[in-house]
Amino acid sequence: MTFFASGFRLCSLRYLLALLLGLTPISEVRPVMAEEADPVAPWVNRQSVNDTAGVLGFLIGQDMAISAISRQHPDLATALRARAVMFDATYGNPMERVETFLKRGVGDQLPKLQEEITAGLAPLLDRQIPRYDAETFLREMDERIEGRLIRDNVLATMLWLKFQADPVVEMDEWAVPYSSAGHPKALGLDVRLKLPRSWKGEEGERPHIVRKWTSQNGAGLDMIMLTVFATPKQAVTLADLQAEVDATGAAGFALEDHRVTDAATLRMDRQPALRVDQEGMLHSMERVMQDRFRTYLVFTETAMLQIQCMASAEQDSPAEALQARFEGLKRLCDRVAGSFVLPQQYE
């Protein structure tokens, strides 16, 4: 790792810590609803602003390094410019997306933040950069284009900024595998899925939630959960599920204060399954949220698995905006469910 590349990480982290500690004006995040300007715009809160500010530091540092190396080693300038173009293409012009998001979160404080970051990084580059370090940085740019040598939070944030409007597209190049093998809540099942890289995976707090993934690297309002419930040893067939859909529209699978809006039977990796969409209100303590669910229920001989995808919004948010987000989430949910594999059945 070159001295300036490591310095960028340290400086970016220093600013991020300053933000978290409230030492700069950006700690005051404007309360902006995602639906104000764009129904699928990223959710603005303290975490998403802090994460995006970290990306801002990373990008400013990278641009300053390219400029400094190009001045001191002109023969590398063309190759560096080419890498910069490839980087921007890979992450969808991240600086433009970062600035657009931070303007929503901190308003007219953004130029001051950019000045502070630039001033903090300048001393690292106001020195002679050895040829070896310059060539190493050029190679590191290739790694960054491929998603390596970038802190997890920075990479995930650039990805959700790029793919927020249609998160399923992220799965084309940035899907990551998950296996529940060995997890005590999985009841001995090895459930394998693929999820978008920018969705933060965490352990579920409740007894049956094996894993949960939250949009915007954990800062968003959309969630995917994998749950496993033990069932009596009695085979549920596709015909059984179809009969339930025909008789009740799968109303028995609705949560409290929810109604089923669509249901269909299918097979998932040879297992009988049911897809259920529902909408309603979710009550948690004194808070009430409106939500939309798409759930895939998969039945094995001993368990019922659920891949549950949820979009939520404040109670007074426009329902149309929530529905627009849910349409994108449904496409992602279908892609995640399509990656479902239960390898034990092939042993």
Side-chain angles (χ1 to χ4, degrees):
M1 185 66 60
T2 61
F3 78 92
F4 49 83
S6 60
F8 298 153
R9 288 186 174 83
L10 290 173
C11 190
S12 177
L13 180 59
R14 178 168 67 85
Y15 275 98
L16 185 56
L17 288 173
L19 299 176
L20 290 169
L21 294 172
L23 299 179
T24 72
I26 198 172
S27 64
E28 309 220 344
V29 177
R30 293 193 306 139
V32 179
M33 296 297 292
E35 296 85 356
E36 281 185 12
D38 182 348
V40 295
W43 181 247
V44 175
N45 57 19
R46 181 177 292 272
Q47 179 186 335
S48 62
V49 169
N50 286 335
D51 286 348
T52 308
V55 175
L56 179 65
F58 175 86
L59 295 175
I60 290 175
Q62 179 171 280
D63 289 346
M64 292 176 67
I66 290 172
S67 297
I69 294 172
S70 297
R71 287 195 308 271
Q72 297 183 28
H73 304 278
D75 57 312
L76 298 180
T78 299
L80 282 169
R81 283 197 299 271
R83 271 34 170 222
V85 170
M86 293 172 64
F87 184 92
D88 285 348
T90 297
Y91 299 107
N93 297 313
M95 182 62 82
E96 179 180 337
R97 295 176 185 274
V98 164
E99 291 177 343
T100 298
F101 180 81
L102 288 178
K103 286 175 183 176
R104 295 177 60 229
V106 302
D108 57 7
Q109 299 176 58
L110 176 58
K112 182 178 180 181
L113 175 64
Q114 292 170 313
E115 291 173 4
E116 290 177 351
I117 293 175
T118 301
L121 289 169
L124 298 172
L125 297 169
D126 286 345
R127 65 183 78 177
Q128 185 61 37
I129 299 173
R131 178 75 184 190
Y132 174 80
D133 284 346
E135 293 176 344
T136 299
F137 181 77
L138 178 61
R139 292 191 294 271
E140 286 182 0
M141 282 297 297
D142 291 328
E143 302 265 1
R144 293 180 179 193
I145 291 166
E146 296 179 0
R148 300 192 296 272
L149 296 183
I150 301 177
R151 285 191 294 116
D152 286 347
N153 273 7
V154 171
L155 176 60
T157 302
M158 287 194 295
L159 292 178
W160 65 250
L161 283 168
K162 178 180 180 181
F163 295 111
Q164 181 72 19
D166 195 6
V168 69
V169 180
E170 184 178 342
M171 295 282 285
D172 292 342
E173 297 181 21
W174 299 95
V176 294
Y178 170 76
S179 169
S180 68
H183 196 295
K185 296 182 184 178
L187 305 181
L189 297 175
D190 180 10
V191 180
R192 298 186 185 180
L193 300 170
K194 291 183 179 179
L195 287 302
R197 173 66 181 77
S198 71
W199 288 54
K200 184 176 182 179
E202 298 175 293
E203 292 296 307
E205 296 88 353
R206 296 184 179 181
H208 301 289
I209 302 177
V210 180
R211 192 77 171 169
K212 65 178 181 179
W213 295 267
T214 308
S215 62
Q216 292 183 231
N217 197 33
L221 290 174
D222 300 339
M223 186 178 296
I224 299 173
M225 292 184 291
L226 171 64
T227 63
V228 179
F229 296 87
T231 58
K233 278 200 170 184
Q234 180 177 355
V236 175
T237 68
L238 200 62
D240 295 331
L241 297 175
Q242 188 60 55
E244 175 68 18
V245 172
D246 292 341
T248 69
F253 290 94
L255 300 173
E256 183 179 358
D257 293 330
H258 287 69
R259 68 180 186 90
V260 172
T261 58
D262 187 43
T265 59
L266 67 159
R267 288 194 179 274
M268 294 176 60
D269 198 25
R270 305 199 305 189
Q271 307 301 311
L274 180 66
R275 190 198 70 215
V276 178
D277 291 352
Q278 55 185 297
E279 63 183 21
M281 306 300 291
L282 188 65
H283 300 264
S284 178
M285 302 294 287
E286 297 181 356
R287 192 178 186 187
V288 180
M289 304 283 287
Q290 55 175 315
D291 58 35
R292 305 284 188 274
F293 281 93
R294 167 158 286 188
T295 305
Y296 284 89
L297 303 100
V298 186
F299 297 85
T300 72
E301 292 183 354
T302 60
M304 180 184 72
L305 318 175
Q306 289 187 6
I307 301 170
Q308 192 172 66
C309 307
M310 179 184 73
S312 62
E314 298 290 344
Q315 183 178 11
D316 57 354
S317 297
E320 297 80 6
L322 175 58
Q323 186 63 34
R325 271 187 28 237
F326 183 52
E327 292 301 321
L329 180 61
K330 285 194 296 184
R331 291 190 290 272
L332 174 60
C333 195
D334 293 345
R335 187 75 168 269
V336 172
S339 72
F340 170 81
V341 176
L342 201 62
Q344 294 100 319
Q345 64 181 310
Y346 301 106
E347 296 175 356

